[in-house]
Amino acid sequence: ILNVEQSPQSLHVQEGDSTNFTCSFPSSNFYALHWYRWETAKSPEALFVMTLNGDEKKKGRISATLNTKEGYSYLYIKGSQPEDSATYLCASKTDSWGKFQFGAGTQVVVTP
Amino acid sequence: DSGVTQTPKHLITATGQRVTLRCSPRSGDLSVYWYQQSLDQGLQFLIQYYNGEERAKGNILERFSAQQFPDLHSELNLSSLELGDSALYFCASSAGTGGGSPLHFGNGTRLTVT
């Protein structure tokens, strides 16, 4: 994988259901993988910073895992709520300088 | 509030003109990143500065230039503007360059070229 890819592009979830989606990134020269939450009319906000293979991070009902050997990360939302509706971006850092490459995002819509 | 300030919020200008977008990073952050989001596109990395020096370059056009000043604020200059340059331009800052620090985003500057 040469670029950062996120799937699916969009998700519609019923309130109370759990969901997950994927970020695939180049597995060579891994430095860091970030997840951001981007609400409409706002700017992206950091959710997780992950740097080690096998990392698992959790913030409330949202958690993320990281596999740097195979180049993927999963984001999980447990018991989705309408306020979880947003676009979730992942960003990969693959050099020692500063370039972060963002995926196109997964748009999550949670309906009551 | 991320602590990152971008001005102006909106900018409308004509083709061929030149504009300057300004970014003040979060207090204590030394890295500044510029991203472009065009219609139906994701965040495209333009350029990054660390403590006044250019550190990484992305798909930045030759008509675009940037710099980071001693007080760490950054400016993105866009010249000979074309209709396709209309986009939302984000600035982000972080404490370092190693990837262990999250990016803090400003609210963006919406550029419309007519």
Side-chain angles (χ1 to χ4, degrees):
Chain A
I1 291 181
L2 299 178
N3 297 312
V4 179
E5 299 173 359
Q6 292 188 247
S7 63
Q9 187 175 2
S10 64
L11 273 175
H12 283 77
V13 188
Q14 283 292 118
E15 182 177 357
D17 288 349
S18 297
T19 189
N20 64 84
F21 36 94
T22 309
C23 171
S24 300
F25 55 88
S27 56
S28 58
N29 297 327
F30 175 83
Y31 281 82
L33 190 286
H34 292 189
W35 281 99
Y36 293 83
R37 170 192 164 90
W38 192 1
E39 292 182 70
T40 303
K42 295 187 178 180
S43 53
E45 291 183 358
L47 280 173
F48 303 116
V49 171
M50 308 176 85
T51 58
L52 298 176
N53 184 43
D55 255 356
E56 292 188 18
K57 300 274 184 172
K58 187 175 180 181
K59 184 182 287 188
R61 293 177 292 95
I62 302 177
S63 61
T65 60
L66 177 67
N67 183 322
T68 62
K69 296 184 188 300
E70 297 183 37
Y72 64 84
S73 176
Y74 293 129
L75 192 91
Y76 301 88
I77 305 176
K78 184 178 178 181
S80 303
Q81 299 297 309
E83 58 264 30
D84 296 328
S85 296
T87 295
Y88 292 82
L89 301 171
C90 68
S92 169
K93 184 177 186 292
T94 54
D95 63 37
S96 61
W97 298 111
K99 180 178 178 180
F100 278 91
Q101 186 177 1
F102 278 81
T106 293
Q107 184 183 27
V108 175
V109 177
V110 182
T111 51
Chain B
D1 183 8
S2 68
V4 178
T5 303
Q6 286 189 250
T7 56
K9 289 185 180 179
H10 302 279
L11 203 46
I12 302 174
T13 189
T15 54
Q17 295 299 303
R18 181 179 188 275
V19 297
T20 297
L21 282 52
R22 182 188 168 103
C23 169
S24 293
R26 202 174 65 126
S27 178
D29 284 355
L30 299 178
S31 281
V32 169
Y33 307 76
W34 286 98
Y35 284 88
Q36 177 193 56
Q37 190 207 11
S38 302
L39 193 63
D40 294 333
Q41 298 284 320
L43 289 172
Q44 300 297 315
F45 173 71
L46 295 178
I47 198 164
Q48 184 231 353
Y49 283 83
Y50 178 78
N51 203 20
E53 293 186 5
E54 181 185 307
R55 280 295 179 94
K57 218 168 186 176
N59 299 322
I60 187 167
L61 299 172
E62 286 190 10
R63 300 182 286 107
F64 295 2
S65 65
Q67 61 184 122
Q68 187 180 28
F69 294 86
D71 67 352
L72 301 177
H73 90 272
S74 178
E75 293 181 357
L76 179 67
N77 300 298
L78 315 176
S79 61
S80 302
L81 285 167
E82 302 175 359
L83 295 178
D85 297 328
S86 296
L88 187 55
Y89 291 85
F90 280 107
C91 165
S93 72
S94 71
T97 61
S101 304
L103 304 186
H104 301 274
F105 283 82
N107 289 326
T109 292
R110 169 79 63 186
L111 173 66
T112 303
V113 182
T114 62

